Amino acid sequence: MRFRALLQDATTLYRIIQTVERLSKTCILRLSPTHLRIICDKANEGGIQVWSLVKRETLFEDYRIESNANDEITLKLSTDALAQALKSASLSSSPETIVKLAKKNNHAVLSFGIIIKTRQNKELAVTQDVGIEVLRPQDVEKMKEPMCPEPDVHIFLPPLPKLRTVTEHLRQLSDVMGISANGNGHFKLFIETDTAKVDTEWSKCENPKIEIGETSEAGDVLTFYIPAMGDGTDG
Amino acid sequence: MPQNKNANVLVAAVHDVRPFVTLLRAVNFNATAAIVISSAGLTIAVEDAKMLVAKAYAPCEMFDEYDYSPRNEDALSAEEPDDNDEEPSLIFHIHLDTVLECLNIFGTGSATLLYGNNDNKRRKKQWAGLSDDSNEEQPNGVRKEKKVAPPKGNTTLDQFFFSGEGKKTGMRMTYAGQGHPLVLILGEDAAGPITTCEIETIEEDGVTELAFDDSLNSPSSWIKQSSWLSDSLLELDPSCEKLTFLGIPATEKSKATLRITAEGTFGSTQMDYPYDRDVLETFECAQFVKFTYRVAHIASALKAMQTSLKTSLRIDPDGLLSLQFMMATGLGIFIEFRCLPLVEE
């Protein structure tokens, strides 16, 4: 089992891990010759799952991977530790951060070789080792991306900062929020409590035409699966 | 749910909710507020243990559209405040926090640009007439974009309340009568999203009235800048529980003085407001008066004090304190706090 690559874009990877860090203490990295998958499965609280697919070229260069399981390696690691390592990698002056699988003191680690320039223009080599657990192929087999039925509606969300503001205020009023959308460009967030019923509706959202499976083929996507508490038809 | 639009007892619309939000915020010291609707405008009344009653007056001129068409049965069943005119008014109670959260749903309903913010520095800067054009910052650190729009509506009000221009939340408020929810329809612009809020109203007794004895000899003063009072109240030691107002008449040697004293664990504080045109616009005090109030009650008025221009302070012969805060000039928008004194041992 070997893995060594040059991490070209530590900043992007850092941002992805920051997002994941808020949801889960551990995440799974699945490296294959073509893609990097970052996965948070059911284990975390709140039940939100993240399945992301990033093309190898987006982040890495000089990429070498070998294993007995179709040249795929699956690792489980702490999101916090990974975020720390990526933070210093993203601060690095040179894009030459080397990521490799290594063994130190009998522990498997993902080692980040980072070069940082000091004020005096001297180069410092920093190594950040993140402890990992290599998952067995049979365990990896069991991990399955949630199966969603074919969606009834595809809709582009309204501008995210606005959506966030509205959500932040609705959160003050209720623990549970309802979402509805239709093929006519309407998108609605609503809450209903004993004290108030509030809904915010956007019209003129765009309904993209997406064939099934198209998104997952495209690459460089983060998919969040948020469990629903009901379909809202009773309320 | 009101099915018929004509069934609405109240329709009030405004293109920018911030002045209204400011009024509500200033009296938001208790969970529920009574809203009294009359043809002159809305009164938002909040009370604390029948010791303190705060009323914020939102006159109909504050709204772009205001239509109150009382139905007879509602007006009869509603309690009428004693000191009001003969015309029928309607009362309902509501959770103020919920209303405020709804009004600020787009993040542009909050009057953070107001000079009387909690943030002292910003307040002073804006008081000095410097426009603070740093974008409104949400607690979560999200910066919101501001677009410059030509000033609309009441300029006096806008000038007073805001130093910056930006997106505004417009509101249409309707109420269909007792037992119905208060409906707020909010939007920023024609293209943007529309929020509909139905806020449940609570049926409760009317509003506690603390009648102010307007007879002679009661000390009264207008303090030229509300901040002079609020700043000194903010200086008070947190251990102070009681606050004493003294009205000292003029003597041959000294000017008439309004004095505030407070005693805490670590010492006492005394603040004097001499009757000087620069400090007190008017000050009438015929005889020595001294009444003590709970700091917590006076502190409830701090927010209103900080957002207002001038403060009027009056004490009636029984010690009932009336603090009136002028929110903007010439529009009749003001907030009044009435507070009963503590009985001296």
Side-chain angles (χ1 to χ4, degrees), chain B residues 52-55 57 212 221-223 226 229 233 243 245 258 260 293 297-302 304-305 308 310-315 320-326 334-339:
Chain B
L52 175 71
V53 178
K55 283 183 178 176
Y57 297 93
F212 193 86
S221 66
W222 271 103
I223 294 164
S226 292
L229 186 60
L233 290 178
L243 191 72
F245 284 94
L258 171 70
I260 303 172
Y293 304 89
H297 283 152
I298 306 294
S300 303
L302 260 180
M305 208 177 287
S308 66
K310 289 184 189 177
T311 302
S312 144
L313 189 151
R314 293 183 299 157
I315 297 174
L320 178 68
L321 173 74
S322 156
L323 288 168
Q324 282 181 343
F325 304 109
M326 196 159 87
F334 69 98
I335 298 177
E336 176 167 18
F337 278 74
R338 285 185 182 176
C339 180

mmCIF file of all heavy atoms in Angstrom, chain B residues 52-55 57 212 221-223 226 229 233 243 245 258 260 293 297-302 304-305 308 310-315 320-326 334-339:
data_model
loop_
_atom_site.group_PDB
_atom_site.id
_atom_site.type_symbol
_atom_site.label_atom_id
_atom_site.label_comp_id
_atom_site.label_asym_id
_atom_site.label_seq_id
_atom_site.Cartn_x
_atom_site.Cartn_y
_atom_site.Cartn_z
ATOM 1 N N LEU B 52 -43.762 48.870 36.713
ATOM 2 C CA LEU B 52 -43.170 49.607 35.607
ATOM 3 C C LEU B 52 -44.030 49.375 34.370
ATOM 4 O O LEU B 52 -44.358 48.238 34.050
ATOM 5 C CB LEU B 52 -41.745 49.085 35.355
ATOM 6 C CG LEU B 52 -40.997 49.646 34.170
ATOM 7 C CD1 LEU B 52 -40.605 51.081 34.431
ATOM 8 C CD2 LEU B 52 -39.765 48.816 33.889
ATOM 9 N N VAL B 53 -44.406 50.444 33.708
ATOM 10 C CA VAL B 53 -45.139 50.319 32.463
ATOM 11 C C VAL B 53 -44.418 51.155 31.419
ATOM 12 O O VAL B 53 -44.121 52.327 31.642
ATOM 13 C CB VAL B 53 -46.600 50.815 32.598
ATOM 14 C CG1 VAL B 53 -47.310 50.717 31.261
ATOM 15 C CG2 VAL B 53 -47.344 49.996 33.636
ATOM 16 N N ALA B 54 -44.103 50.514 30.318
ATOM 17 C CA ALA B 54 -43.463 51.239 29.230
ATOM 18 C C ALA B 54 -44.410 51.262 28.044
ATOM 19 O O ALA B 54 -45.021 50.245 27.722
ATOM 20 C CB ALA B 54 -42.164 50.556 28.832
ATOM 21 N N LYS B 55 -44.532 52.420 27.442
ATOM 22 C CA LYS B 55 -45.392 52.515 26.267
ATOM 23 C C LYS B 55 -44.632 53.170 25.143
ATOM 24 O O LYS B 55 -44.050 54.232 25.314
ATOM 25 C CB LYS B 55 -46.625 53.359 26.589
ATOM 26 C CG LYS B 55 -47.656 52.618 27.409
ATOM 27 C CD LYS B 55 -48.858 53.492 27.625
ATOM 28 C CE LYS B 55 -49.919 52.727 28.408
ATOM 29 N NZ LYS B 55 -51.062 53.590 28.706
ATOM 30 N N TYR B 57 -45.114 54.740 21.472
ATOM 31 C CA TYR B 57 -46.172 55.242 20.606
ATOM 32 C C TYR B 57 -45.693 55.290 19.165
ATOM 33 O O TYR B 57 -44.701 55.934 18.853
ATOM 34 C CB TYR B 57 -46.595 56.643 21.052
ATOM 35 C CG TYR B 57 -47.192 56.656 22.436
ATOM 36 C CD1 TYR B 57 -46.405 56.907 23.550
ATOM 37 C CD2 TYR B 57 -48.549 56.391 22.623
ATOM 38 C CE1 TYR B 57 -46.945 56.893 24.834
ATOM 39 C CE2 TYR B 57 -49.099 56.381 23.900
ATOM 40 C CZ TYR B 57 -48.290 56.626 25.001
ATOM 41 O OH TYR B 57 -48.831 56.612 26.250
ATOM 42 N N PHE B 212 -50.492 59.429 36.169
ATOM 43 C CA PHE B 212 -49.544 60.439 36.619
ATOM 44 C C PHE B 212 -50.296 61.645 37.134
ATOM 45 O O PHE B 212 -51.158 62.204 36.455
ATOM 46 C CB PHE B 212 -48.636 60.839 35.451
ATOM 47 C CG PHE B 212 -47.435 61.626 35.861
ATOM 48 C CD1 PHE B 212 -46.283 60.980 36.272
ATOM 49 C CD2 PHE B 212 -47.469 63.010 35.862
ATOM 50 C CE1 PHE B 212 -45.180 61.705 36.658
ATOM 51 C CE2 PHE B 212 -46.364 63.742 36.257
ATOM 52 C CZ PHE B 212 -45.214 63.089 36.658
ATOM 53 N N SER B 221 -38.105 67.971 34.164
ATOM 54 C CA SER B 221 -36.963 68.514 33.449
ATOM 55 C C SER B 221 -36.863 67.891 32.082
ATOM 56 O O SER B 221 -37.337 66.777 31.846
ATOM 57 C CB SER B 221 -35.682 68.229 34.224
ATOM 58 O OG SER B 221 -35.458 66.848 34.251
ATOM 59 N N TRP B 222 -36.294 68.633 31.200
ATOM 60 C CA TRP B 222 -35.938 68.098 29.889
ATOM 61 C C TRP B 222 -34.434 68.014 29.838
ATOM 62 O O TRP B 222 -33.746 69.024 29.987
ATOM 63 C CB TRP B 222 -36.421 69.026 28.777
ATOM 64 C CG TRP B 222 -37.800 68.729 28.319
ATOM 65 C CD1 TRP B 222 -38.925 69.416 28.630
ATOM 66 C CD2 TRP B 222 -38.198 67.669 27.457
ATOM 67 N NE1 TRP B 222 -40.011 68.844 28.015
ATOM 68 C CE2 TRP B 222 -39.594 67.765 27.287
ATOM 69 C CE3 TRP B 222 -37.511 66.625 26.807
ATOM 70 C CZ2 TRP B 222 -40.311 66.876 26.510
ATOM 71 C CZ3 TRP B 222 -38.230 65.745 26.036
ATOM 72 C CH2 TRP B 222 -39.622 65.871 25.886
ATOM 73 N N ILE B 223 -33.930 66.835 29.624
ATOM 74 C CA ILE B 223 -32.483 66.686 29.524
ATOM 75 C C ILE B 223 -32.116 66.772 28.053
ATOM 76 O O ILE B 223 -32.712 66.093 27.218
ATOM 77 C CB ILE B 223 -32.027 65.357 30.155
ATOM 78 C CG1 ILE B 223 -32.307 65.429 31.651
ATOM 79 C CG2 ILE B 223 -30.552 65.106 29.891
ATOM 80 C CD1 ILE B 223 -32.284 64.129 32.349
ATOM 81 N N SER B 226 -30.171 62.659 25.606
ATOM 82 C CA SER B 226 -30.465 61.457 26.383
ATOM 83 C C SER B 226 -29.207 60.729 26.811
ATOM 84 O O SER B 226 -29.154 60.105 27.857
ATOM 85 C CB SER B 226 -31.327 60.517 25.550
ATOM 86 O OG SER B 226 -32.585 61.081 25.361
ATOM 87 N N LEU B 229 -27.782 61.141 30.244
ATOM 88 C CA LEU B 229 -28.399 60.380 31.326
ATOM 89 C C LEU B 229 -28.006 58.899 31.224
ATOM 90 O O LEU B 229 -27.622 58.277 32.212
ATOM 91 C CB LEU B 229 -29.920 60.540 31.264
ATOM 92 C CG LEU B 229 -30.722 59.934 32.396
ATOM 93 C CD1 LEU B 229 -30.321 60.550 33.732
ATOM 94 C CD2 LEU B 229 -32.208 60.142 32.165
ATOM 95 N N LEU B 233 -25.906 56.487 33.820
ATOM 96 C CA LEU B 233 -26.517 55.288 34.405
ATOM 97 C C LEU B 233 -25.661 54.053 34.121
ATOM 98 O O LEU B 233 -25.599 53.127 34.926
ATOM 99 C CB LEU B 233 -27.934 55.092 33.867
ATOM 100 C CG LEU B 233 -28.966 56.122 34.341
ATOM 101 C CD1 LEU B 233 -30.314 55.857 33.709
ATOM 102 C CD2 LEU B 233 -29.096 56.118 35.858
ATOM 103 N N LEU B 243 -31.735 53.231 43.272
ATOM 104 C CA LEU B 243 -31.311 54.475 42.671
ATOM 105 C C LEU B 243 -32.230 55.564 43.206
ATOM 106 O O LEU B 243 -33.437 55.375 43.279
ATOM 107 C CB LEU B 243 -31.490 54.337 41.160
ATOM 108 C CG LEU B 243 -30.917 55.362 40.233
ATOM 109 C CD1 LEU B 243 -29.411 55.205 40.200
ATOM 110 C CD2 LEU B 243 -31.470 55.128 38.847
ATOM 111 N N PHE B 245 -33.563 59.539 42.990
ATOM 112 C CA PHE B 245 -33.627 60.802 42.271
ATOM 113 C C PHE B 245 -33.967 61.893 43.275
ATOM 114 O O PHE B 245 -34.899 61.752 44.067
ATOM 115 C CB PHE B 245 -34.717 60.765 41.195
ATOM 116 C CG PHE B 245 -34.331 59.986 39.977
ATOM 117 C CD1 PHE B 245 -34.672 58.645 39.860
ATOM 118 C CD2 PHE B 245 -33.646 60.588 38.937
ATOM 119 C CE1 PHE B 245 -34.323 57.920 38.733
ATOM 120 C CE2 PHE B 245 -33.298 59.874 37.803
ATOM 121 C CZ PHE B 245 -33.630 58.547 37.700
ATOM 122 N N LEU B 258 -30.771 68.548 39.638
ATOM 123 C CA LEU B 258 -31.332 67.204 39.614
ATOM 124 C C LEU B 258 -30.198 66.279 40.008
ATOM 125 O O LEU B 258 -29.133 66.291 39.395
ATOM 126 C CB LEU B 258 -31.829 66.860 38.211
ATOM 127 C CG LEU B 258 -32.244 65.417 37.973
ATOM 128 C CD1 LEU B 258 -33.533 65.094 38.708
ATOM 129 C CD2 LEU B 258 -32.417 65.128 36.495
ATOM 130 N N ILE B 260 -28.802 62.376 41.075
ATOM 131 C CA ILE B 260 -29.060 60.935 41.076
ATOM 132 C C ILE B 260 -28.017 60.303 41.991
ATOM 133 O O ILE B 260 -26.822 60.539 41.824
ATOM 134 C CB ILE B 260 -28.940 60.341 39.655
ATOM 135 C CG1 ILE B 260 -29.903 61.065 38.702
ATOM 136 C CG2 ILE B 260 -29.231 58.849 39.660
ATOM 137 C CD1 ILE B 260 -29.716 60.680 37.257
ATOM 138 N N TYR B 293 -35.860 54.252 43.465
ATOM 139 C CA TYR B 293 -36.388 53.283 42.507
ATOM 140 C C TYR B 293 -35.438 52.105 42.392
ATOM 141 O O TYR B 293 -34.261 52.223 42.731
ATOM 142 C CB TYR B 293 -36.564 53.942 41.124
ATOM 143 C CG TYR B 293 -37.425 55.158 41.187
ATOM 144 C CD1 TYR B 293 -36.860 56.405 41.444
ATOM 145 C CD2 TYR B 293 -38.800 55.069 41.040
ATOM 146 C CE1 TYR B 293 -37.640 57.536 41.548
ATOM 147 C CE2 TYR B 293 -39.588 56.192 41.132
ATOM 148 C CZ TYR B 293 -39.012 57.430 41.387
ATOM 149 O OH TYR B 293 -39.798 58.528 41.497
ATOM 150 N N HIS B 297 -35.419 48.445 37.220
ATOM 151 C CA HIS B 297 -36.510 49.078 36.473
ATOM 152 C C HIS B 297 -35.988 50.206 35.597
ATOM 153 O O HIS B 297 -36.364 50.332 34.432
ATOM 154 C CB HIS B 297 -37.556 49.638 37.450
ATOM 155 C CG HIS B 297 -38.426 48.569 38.016
ATOM 156 N ND1 HIS B 297 -39.015 48.672 39.261
ATOM 157 C CD2 HIS B 297 -38.802 47.373 37.523
ATOM 158 C CE1 HIS B 297 -39.711 47.579 39.498
ATOM 159 N NE2 HIS B 297 -39.596 46.771 38.460
ATOM 160 N N ILE B 298 -35.121 51.008 36.182
ATOM 161 C CA ILE B 298 -34.575 52.122 35.403
ATOM 162 C C ILE B 298 -33.739 51.570 34.244
ATOM 163 O O ILE B 298 -33.754 52.106 33.138
ATOM 164 C CB ILE B 298 -33.703 53.047 36.303
ATOM 165 C CG1 ILE B 298 -34.492 53.501 37.532
ATOM 166 C CG2 ILE B 298 -33.184 54.250 35.518
ATOM 167 C CD1 ILE B 298 -35.676 54.396 37.268
ATOM 168 N N ALA B 299 -33.048 50.457 34.509
ATOM 169 C CA ALA B 299 -32.211 49.857 33.469
ATOM 170 C C ALA B 299 -33.046 49.369 32.295
ATOM 171 O O ALA B 299 -32.565 49.338 31.161
ATOM 172 C CB ALA B 299 -31.373 48.720 34.042
ATOM 173 N N SER B 300 -34.289 48.994 32.562
ATOM 174 C CA SER B 300 -35.157 48.564 31.466
ATOM 175 C C SER B 300 -35.342 49.683 30.452
ATOM 176 O O SER B 300 -35.622 49.438 29.288
ATOM 177 C CB SER B 300 -36.536 48.161 31.994
ATOM 178 O OG SER B 300 -36.414 47.154 32.942
ATOM 179 N N ALA B 301 -35.207 50.904 30.924
ATOM 180 C CA ALA B 301 -35.419 52.050 30.043
ATOM 181 C C ALA B 301 -34.148 52.458 29.307
ATOM 182 O O ALA B 301 -34.187 53.339 28.463
ATOM 183 C CB ALA B 301 -35.950 53.231 30.847
ATOM 184 N N LEU B 302 -33.041 51.798 29.629
ATOM 185 C CA LEU B 302 -31.747 52.222 29.053
ATOM 186 C C LEU B 302 -31.735 52.190 27.525
ATOM 187 O O LEU B 302 -31.237 53.096 26.886
ATOM 188 C CB LEU B 302 -30.625 51.323 29.570
ATOM 189 C CG LEU B 302 -29.784 51.883 30.704
ATOM 190 C CD1 LEU B 302 -28.717 50.891 31.100
ATOM 191 C CD2 LEU B 302 -29.128 53.193 30.292
ATOM 192 N N ALA B 304 -34.192 52.438 25.439
ATOM 193 C CA ALA B 304 -34.982 53.529 24.893
ATOM 194 C C ALA B 304 -34.211 54.840 25.044
ATOM 195 O O ALA B 304 -34.183 55.669 24.141
ATOM 196 C CB ALA B 304 -36.321 53.616 25.617
ATOM 197 N N MET B 305 -33.559 54.979 26.187
ATOM 198 C CA MET B 305 -32.796 56.195 26.466
ATOM 199 C C MET B 305 -31.693 56.370 25.429
ATOM 200 O O MET B 305 -31.481 57.443 24.890
ATOM 201 C CB MET B 305 -32.179 56.039 27.860
ATOM 202 C CG MET B 305 -31.931 57.305 28.605
ATOM 203 S SD MET B 305 -31.305 56.895 30.245
ATOM 204 C CE MET B 305 -32.722 56.264 31.096
ATOM 205 N N SER B 308 -32.870 57.491 21.980
ATOM 206 C CA SER B 308 -33.679 58.698 21.865
ATOM 207 C C SER B 308 -32.811 59.938 21.778
ATOM 208 O O SER B 308 -31.606 59.900 21.975
ATOM 209 C CB SER B 308 -34.611 58.802 23.063
ATOM 210 O OG SER B 308 -33.854 59.005 24.230
ATOM 211 N N LYS B 310 -33.926 63.251 23.229
ATOM 212 C CA LYS B 310 -34.039 63.988 24.485
ATOM 213 C C LYS B 310 -34.832 63.168 25.472
ATOM 214 O O LYS B 310 -35.641 62.328 25.088
ATOM 215 C CB LYS B 310 -34.802 65.291 24.249
ATOM 216 C CG LYS B 310 -34.069 66.326 23.464
ATOM 217 C CD LYS B 310 -34.951 67.554 23.422
ATOM 218 C CE LYS B 310 -34.398 68.593 22.470
ATOM 219 N NZ LYS B 310 -35.323 69.742 22.406
ATOM 220 N N THR B 311 -34.629 63.456 26.732
ATOM 221 C CA THR B 311 -35.363 62.757 27.766
ATOM 222 C C THR B 311 -36.095 63.770 28.637
ATOM 223 O O THR B 311 -35.526 64.792 29.016
ATOM 224 C CB THR B 311 -34.405 61.946 28.644
ATOM 225 O OG1 THR B 311 -33.693 61.034 27.826
ATOM 226 C CG2 THR B 311 -35.159 61.170 29.712
ATOM 227 N N SER B 312 -37.341 63.466 28.932
ATOM 228 C CA SER B 312 -38.064 64.271 29.906
ATOM 229 C C SER B 312 -38.212 63.432 31.158
ATOM 230 O O SER B 312 -38.541 62.251 31.103
ATOM 231 C CB SER B 312 -39.446 64.641 29.360
ATOM 232 O OG SER B 312 -40.393 64.657 30.399
ATOM 233 N N LEU B 313 -37.934 64.054 32.295
ATOM 234 C CA LEU B 313 -38.003 63.326 33.552
ATOM 235 C C LEU B 313 -38.973 64.063 34.464
ATOM 236 O O LEU B 313 -38.839 65.272 34.671
ATOM 237 C CB LEU B 313 -36.597 63.285 34.146
ATOM 238 C CG LEU B 313 -36.327 62.401 35.362
ATOM 239 C CD1 LEU B 313 -34.881 61.970 35.319
ATOM 240 C CD2 LEU B 313 -36.612 63.112 36.658
ATOM 241 N N ARG B 314 -39.966 63.383 34.926
ATOM 242 C CA ARG B 314 -40.927 64.028 35.825
ATOM 243 C C ARG B 314 -41.197 63.082 36.995
ATOM 244 O O ARG B 314 -41.137 61.861 36.861
ATOM 245 C CB ARG B 314 -42.250 64.298 35.093
ATOM 246 C CG ARG B 314 -42.141 65.331 33.997
ATOM 247 C CD ARG B 314 -43.501 65.588 33.389
ATOM 248 N NE ARG B 314 -44.051 64.374 32.802
ATOM 249 C CZ ARG B 314 -45.353 64.171 32.605
ATOM 250 N NH1 ARG B 314 -46.236 65.074 32.970
ATOM 251 N NH2 ARG B 314 -45.776 63.044 32.061
ATOM 252 N N ILE B 315 -41.480 63.655 38.124
ATOM 253 C CA ILE B 315 -41.834 62.855 39.294
ATOM 254 C C ILE B 315 -43.090 63.475 39.890
ATOM 255 O O ILE B 315 -43.144 64.690 40.102
ATOM 256 C CB ILE B 315 -40.695 62.856 40.337
ATOM 257 C CG1 ILE B 315 -39.444 62.193 39.743
ATOM 258 C CG2 ILE B 315 -41.131 62.131 41.608
ATOM 259 C CD1 ILE B 315 -38.226 62.270 40.629
ATOM 260 N N LEU B 320 -44.289 58.732 41.526
ATOM 261 C CA LEU B 320 -44.340 58.041 40.238
ATOM 262 C C LEU B 320 -43.399 58.758 39.267
ATOM 263 O O LEU B 320 -43.525 59.962 39.042
ATOM 264 C CB LEU B 320 -45.771 58.026 39.694
ATOM 265 C CG LEU B 320 -45.947 57.368 38.329
ATOM 266 C CD1 LEU B 320 -45.698 55.873 38.406
ATOM 267 C CD2 LEU B 320 -47.334 57.630 37.771
ATOM 268 N N LEU B 321 -42.471 57.990 38.746
ATOM 269 C CA LEU B 321 -41.468 58.566 37.845
ATOM 270 C C LEU B 321 -41.934 58.390 36.411
ATOM 271 O O LEU B 321 -42.355 57.311 36.008
ATOM 272 C CB LEU B 321 -40.129 57.852 38.043
ATOM 273 C CG LEU B 321 -39.003 58.203 37.095
ATOM 274 C CD1 LEU B 321 -38.432 59.563 37.420
ATOM 275 C CD2 LEU B 321 -37.915 57.145 37.162
ATOM 276 N N SER B 322 -41.874 59.447 35.665
ATOM 277 C CA SER B 322 -42.223 59.353 34.252
ATOM 278 C C SER B 322 -41.009 59.761 33.436
ATOM 279 O O SER B 322 -40.489 60.860 33.591
ATOM 280 C CB SER B 322 -43.410 60.269 33.945
ATOM 281 O OG SER B 322 -43.401 60.604 32.579
ATOM 282 N N LEU B 323 -40.555 58.861 32.624
ATOM 283 C CA LEU B 323 -39.438 59.154 31.727
ATOM 284 C C LEU B 323 -39.989 59.128 30.312
ATOM 285 O O LEU B 323 -40.528 58.110 29.875
ATOM 286 C CB LEU B 323 -38.341 58.099 31.867
ATOM 287 C CG LEU B 323 -37.500 58.102 33.130
ATOM 288 C CD1 LEU B 323 -36.697 56.824 33.211
ATOM 289 C CD2 LEU B 323 -36.588 59.302 33.159
ATOM 290 N N GLN B 324 -39.890 60.250 29.645
ATOM 291 C CA GLN B 324 -40.352 60.274 28.260
ATOM 292 C C GLN B 324 -39.156 60.462 27.360
ATOM 293 O O GLN B 324 -38.320 61.325 27.595
ATOM 294 C CB GLN B 324 -41.352 61.408 28.045
ATOM 295 C CG GLN B 324 -42.721 61.065 28.579
ATOM 296 C CD GLN B 324 -43.721 62.170 28.346
ATOM 297 O OE1 GLN B 324 -43.351 63.291 28.076
ATOM 298 N NE2 GLN B 324 -44.989 61.833 28.486
ATOM 299 N N PHE B 325 -39.126 59.637 26.325
ATOM 300 C CA PHE B 325 -37.998 59.698 25.405
ATOM 301 C C PHE B 325 -38.487 60.144 24.041
ATOM 302 O O PHE B 325 -39.354 59.504 23.457
ATOM 303 C CB PHE B 325 -37.317 58.333 25.295
ATOM 304 C CG PHE B 325 -36.884 57.800 26.624
ATOM 305 C CD1 PHE B 325 -37.537 56.728 27.202
ATOM 306 C CD2 PHE B 325 -35.846 58.405 27.307
ATOM 307 C CE1 PHE B 325 -37.150 56.250 28.431
ATOM 308 C CE2 PHE B 325 -35.457 57.933 28.533
ATOM 309 C CZ PHE B 325 -36.107 56.863 29.101
ATOM 310 N N MET B 326 -37.954 61.234 23.587
ATOM 311 C CA MET B 326 -38.325 61.727 22.275
ATOM 312 C C MET B 326 -37.452 61.009 21.260
ATOM 313 O O MET B 326 -36.227 61.104 21.279
ATOM 314 C CB MET B 326 -38.095 63.221 22.220
ATOM 315 C CG MET B 326 -38.789 63.875 21.081
ATOM 316 S SD MET B 326 -38.957 65.613 21.439
ATOM 317 C CE MET B 326 -37.428 66.170 20.811
ATOM 318 N N PHE B 334 -42.665 58.684 20.468
ATOM 319 C CA PHE B 334 -41.931 58.709 21.719
ATOM 320 C C PHE B 334 -42.249 57.483 22.560
ATOM 321 O O PHE B 334 -43.170 56.731 22.262
ATOM 322 C CB PHE B 334 -42.172 60.023 22.482
ATOM 323 C CG PHE B 334 -43.556 60.191 23.032
ATOM 324 C CD1 PHE B 334 -43.833 59.887 24.358
ATOM 325 C CD2 PHE B 334 -44.580 60.673 22.228
ATOM 326 C CE1 PHE B 334 -45.096 60.053 24.864
ATOM 327 C CE2 PHE B 334 -45.859 60.834 22.734
ATOM 328 C CZ PHE B 334 -46.121 60.534 24.059
ATOM 329 N N ILE B 335 -41.436 57.297 23.564
ATOM 330 C CA ILE B 335 -41.603 56.160 24.462
ATOM 331 C C ILE B 335 -41.701 56.714 25.864
ATOM 332 O O ILE B 335 -40.956 57.633 26.223
ATOM 333 C CB ILE B 335 -40.400 55.201 24.346
ATOM 334 C CG1 ILE B 335 -40.320 54.640 22.924
ATOM 335 C CG2 ILE B 335 -40.501 54.065 25.356
ATOM 336 C CD1 ILE B 335 -39.136 53.740 22.690
ATOM 337 N N GLU B 336 -42.630 56.197 26.623
ATOM 338 C CA GLU B 336 -42.743 56.655 27.996
ATOM 339 C C GLU B 336 -42.613 55.467 28.945
ATOM 340 O O GLU B 336 -43.220 54.424 28.744
ATOM 341 C CB GLU B 336 -44.096 57.350 28.231
ATOM 342 C CG GLU B 336 -44.254 57.748 29.689
ATOM 343 C CD GLU B 336 -45.405 58.706 29.965
ATOM 344 O OE1 GLU B 336 -46.301 58.823 29.103
ATOM 345 O OE2 GLU B 336 -45.390 59.318 31.036
ATOM 346 N N PHE B 337 -41.787 55.657 29.951
ATOM 347 C CA PHE B 337 -41.670 54.668 31.024
ATOM 348 C C PHE B 337 -42.242 55.298 32.278
ATOM 349 O O PHE B 337 -41.872 56.418 32.636
ATOM 350 C CB PHE B 337 -40.196 54.306 31.284
ATOM 351 C CG PHE B 337 -39.649 53.294 30.333
ATOM 352 C CD1 PHE B 337 -39.349 53.650 29.029
ATOM 353 C CD2 PHE B 337 -39.433 51.980 30.730
ATOM 354 C CE1 PHE B 337 -38.833 52.724 28.132
ATOM 355 C CE2 PHE B 337 -38.922 51.046 29.842
ATOM 356 C CZ PHE B 337 -38.620 51.417 28.551
ATOM 357 N N ARG B 338 -43.139 54.599 32.928
ATOM 358 C CA ARG B 338 -43.621 55.069 34.220
ATOM 359 C C ARG B 338 -43.252 54.023 35.261
ATOM 360 O O ARG B 338 -43.496 52.839 35.056
ATOM 361 C CB ARG B 338 -45.142 55.280 34.186
ATOM 362 C CG ARG B 338 -45.509 56.537 33.430
ATOM 363 C CD ARG B 338 -46.971 56.816 33.493
ATOM 364 N NE ARG B 338 -47.266 58.017 32.716
ATOM 365 C CZ ARG B 338 -48.490 58.486 32.509
ATOM 366 N NH1 ARG B 338 -49.528 57.852 33.027
ATOM 367 N NH2 ARG B 338 -48.668 59.574 31.801
ATOM 368 N N CYS B 339 -42.696 54.482 36.353
ATOM 369 C CA CYS B 339 -42.171 53.549 37.337
ATOM 370 C C CYS B 339 -42.559 53.992 38.737
ATOM 371 O O CYS B 339 -42.402 55.168 39.093
ATOM 372 C CB CYS B 339 -40.646 53.511 37.183
ATOM 373 S SG CYS B 339 -39.863 52.397 38.321
#
